[in-house]
Amino acid sequence: QSVLTQPPSVSAAPGQKVTISCSGSSSNIGNNYVSWYQQLPGTAPKLLIYDNNKRPSGIPDRFSGSKSGTSATLGITGLQTGDEADYYCGTWDSSLSAGHVVFGGGTKLTVL
Amino acid sequence: EVQLVQSGAEVKKPGESLKISCKGSGYSFTSYWIGWVRQMPGKGLEWMGIIYPGDSDTRYSPSFQGQVTISADKSISTAYLQWSSLKASDTAMYYCARQRWYPDYWGQGTLVTVSS
């Protein structure tokens, strides 16, 4: 059971918009920055969003992030078949004496 | 260009020891933490722990404390993840990642298979 909760799957048609939610608590999302990762089939995760809503160089502005309270959301507009992947949220958790990174369980995006 | 290059796939028997590596390049290796992440077959990402190669300060996730050892050799810009006695349940893909307060650049992964 992951510390952060994501829907197992989402789907939408090409060209449409989709959002993926990530729910946590005050010990993680509520007091720390959220990052998002894309994992294409058979490849390593890739950073999509950091500090809640910042995009690394090379990530298109079709990808966006937001955070409110103890939840965060990844948005993807103009869906393409190449966006089919697993998406993970991550953040720092300070619930124990030694903080650590926690991830959501992942959301599989299907572009119909 | 930041790169993390991991060692190749391993097939081991239960009880055997193993050390896998992650070599960083394209940035100051001693100025960033390096983390390790496990992904079991068909499952999600699990953060295992981090090391700061500059002074070898190491932190572990409670789930992995005592189960693995993370180390680094800053002279060759390489971080390591090791097991003293593998179990079948250690079968997984293992990723290293450069880490700020979040992992940013990731290695390509090392597949570890433990089977009798």
Side-chain angles (χ1 to χ4, degrees), chain A:
Chain A
Q1 198 75 3
S2 302
V3 173
L4 305 180
T5 301
Q6 297 181 234
S9 63
V10 296
S11 62
Q16 296 300 302
K17 173 182 177 178
V18 72
T19 60
I20 298 172
S21 62
C22 176
S23 177
S25 68
S26 59
S27 68
N28 42 66
I29 292 178
N31 284 286
N32 294 287
Y33 287 116
V34 177
S35 52
W36 289 91
Y37 303 87
Q38 176 193 60
Q39 188 175 32
L40 295 168
T43 69
K46 174 184 174 183
L47 179 66
L48 279 183
I49 298 288
Y50 67 98
D51 289 1
N52 301 332
N53 55 20
K54 296 182 173 64
R55 282 177 287 106
S57 172
I59 300 300
D61 59 6
R62 299 188 299 108
F63 295 90
S64 63
S66 64
K67 181 185 122 173
S68 178
T70 59
S71 294
T73 301
L74 173 70
I76 311 173
T77 59
L79 277 172
Q80 303 172 0
T81 55
D83 295 331
E84 284 205 338
D86 293 322
Y87 292 84
Y88 295 90
C89 57
T91 188
W92 194 259
D93 189 300
S94 46
S95 60
L96 302 173
S97 57
H100 55 288
V101 171
V102 291
F103 293 105
T107 298
K108 183 175 183 60
L109 169 62
T110 301
V111 181
L112 303 167

Side-chain angles (χ1 to χ4, degrees), chain A residues 33 35 37 39 42-47 50-51 88 91-92 96 98-105, chain B residues 37 39 43-47 50 59-62 95 99-109:
Chain A
Y33 287 116
S35 52
Y37 303 87
Q39 188 175 32
T43 69
K46 174 184 174 183
L47 179 66
Y50 67 98
D51 289 1
Y88 295 90
T91 188
W92 194 259
L96 302 173
H100 55 288
V101 171
V102 291
F103 293 105
Chain B
V37 175
Q39 187 168 37
K43 302 298 184 183
L45 306 174
E46 299 174 273
W47 189 83
I50 48 174
R59 319 279 175 88
Y60 294 93
S61 163
Y95 296 102
Q99 177 149 350
R100 300 167 179 254
W101 49 99
Y102 56 92
D104 54 7
Y105 290 90
W106 295 65
Q108 84 277 19

